[in-house]
Amino acid sequence: MRFGTQDQAFFPTDIKEKFQFIKELGFETYEIDGNLLVEHVEEVKEAMKETGILVETACNGYDGWIGDFIEERRLRGIEQISDILRALAEVGGKGIVVPAAWGMFTYRLPPMVSPRSQAGDFKAVSDSLIQLEKIAAETGTKIYLEPLNRYQDHMINLLADARKYIDENQLVHVEITADFYHMNIEEDSISKALIEQKDYVGHIHLADNHRYQPGSGAINFVEHFKTIKEINYDGCLVYECRLRGEDLPKIYQNSINFLKECMRKA
């Protein structure tokens, strides 16, 4: 297993400097913005070669959700995600993290009535995944379908919800992103859900219960890292979190050191 990070505001903007900084913090892989990768493939390759930092996954970097209510945006998103998958293949990447949508609608806030039926939701997301499955097959990559919490998405909230799309559409290039923050809200137990969906989980996002840096909240990382080892998960563990505090580089460094110690204890 390898610890990775998404970008943070205090990271250098120059790509090679960014990769070196990530390495010095103690990370092994960088979850890159998809658009940044598409526009700077060769520079990313050079940075990877110079630092040894891997680019195994991408997240974000496209305009339309795979479950978008607006068809034009959904189709544009599919096209852009396809381009990101092709760019990932060029750098030896594994796949892209994709939720059904983010911030588009929730049953938990007014108007509480979706403009599309649940059957329509399933059809739209399924169609997107089926199209992207073909591109993933061509490029040797994966779609990492990410359940979000009920306040950020109304379609896929549990790991079991994501599994339903995979099973019913017989998708072989789609796996699940298990995000500790979202799971802490939605699942009865993070470890129980990981065990139940162990054959489907291909990627993991890390944050504490309040979305801030691991080690600053209430999640028992030692317990869940034990589970990760038990299910023989061998993918990335990628930070997707906000930061709370003043000295952000030091806070981030302390957090990754904390998680590495948790992994040793697990």
Side-chain angles (χ1 to χ4, degrees):
M1 286 177 286
R2 298 160 301 286
F3 284 106
T5 180
Q6 294 183 354
D7 217 342
Q8 290 286 349
F10 63 90
F11 287 5
T13 55
D14 178 82
I15 291 177
K16 292 183 179 180
E17 291 178 4
K18 188 190 302 288
F19 275 60
Q20 184 60 41
F21 187 72
I22 289 169
K23 181 179 181 179
E24 291 171 358
L25 284 172
F27 293 98
E28 300 166 272
T29 184
Y30 173 42
E31 185 158 283
I32 195 167
D33 175 86
N35 186 57
L36 177 67
L37 175 61
V38 169
E39 294 185 350
H40 300 277
V41 170
E42 294 305 319
E43 194 172 352
V44 168
K45 286 182 183 178
E46 292 176 9
M48 292 172 64
K49 184 177 180 180
E50 290 182 11
T51 64
I53 291 293
L54 302 174
V55 173
E56 298 179 80
T57 53
C59 189
N60 301 318
Y62 49 90
D63 296 334
W65 305 114
I66 62 170
D68 215 300
F69 290 145
I70 299 175
E71 184 68 359
E72 181 181 358
R73 284 203 310 234
R74 185 180 73 86
L75 295 176
R76 185 169 67 244
I78 293 170
E79 182 179 349
Q80 292 169 334
I81 293 168
S82 297
D83 288 340
I84 295 168
L85 289 174
R86 296 183 183 102
L88 278 167
E90 285 194 52
V91 301
K94 293 185 176 181
I96 184 171
V97 178
V98 178
W102 180 87
M104 190 173 71
F105 174 76
T106 172
Y107 288 117
R108 302 299 173 179
L109 295 171
M112 297 182 179
V113 178
S114 175
R116 186 173 60 199
S117 68
Q118 291 183 354
D121 288 339
F122 191 85
K123 180 179 179 181
V125 174
S126 293
D127 179 76
S128 296
L129 291 173
I130 289 168
Q131 291 191 55
L132 291 171
E133 165 95 351
K134 297 175 183 178
I135 305 300
E138 292 171 3
T139 55
T141 57
K142 298 280 188 180
I143 303 296
Y144 295 121
L145 184 60
E146 182 178 23
L148 305 184
N149 70 75
R150 70 195 75 173
Y151 306 104
Q152 296 180 355
D153 176 50
H154 68 292
M155 289 177 276
I156 303 177
N157 303 130
L158 302 170
L159 300 195
D161 296 337
R163 176 178 177 170
K164 180 179 179 182
Y165 282 90
I166 295 170
D167 285 347
E168 294 200 13
N169 292 298
Q170 299 181 335
L171 304 171
V172 298
H173 295 277
V174 179
E175 296 178 351
I176 299 172
T177 294
D179 184 299
F180 277 26
Y181 166 69
H182 298 298
M183 293 174 74
N184 181 69
I185 297 172
E186 296 295 339
E187 302 286 355
D188 294 338
S189 162
I190 290 175
S191 281
K192 183 173 182 286
L194 289 171
I195 291 168
E196 289 176 346
Q197 311 304 336
K198 64 181 181 179
D199 295 329
Y200 292 79
V201 174
H203 190 56
I204 292 177
H205 274 169
L206 299 176
D208 224 310
N209 62 290
H210 44 25
R211 182 53 105 186
Y212 288 99
Q213 69 271 15
S216 64
I219 288 181
N220 187 335
F221 286 95
V222 173
E223 174 190 346
H224 303 314
F225 284 178
K226 285 180 181 177
T227 300
I228 286 170
K229 289 181 178 180
E230 289 171 3
I231 65 174
N232 296 316
Y233 174 79
D234 63 355
C236 302
L237 302 168
V238 176
Y239 270 54
E240 185 183 50
C241 66
R242 302 185 182 95
L243 298 178
R244 176 177 282 170
E246 295 183 2
D247 189 344
L248 299 186
K250 182 178 180 180
I251 288 168
Y252 217 51
Q253 183 71 75
N254 289 343
S255 181
I256 184 61
N257 291 344
F258 163 79
L259 278 195
K260 288 184 176 181
E261 181 62 23
C262 288
M263 187 61 75
R264 283 190 287 268
K265 291 179 179 178

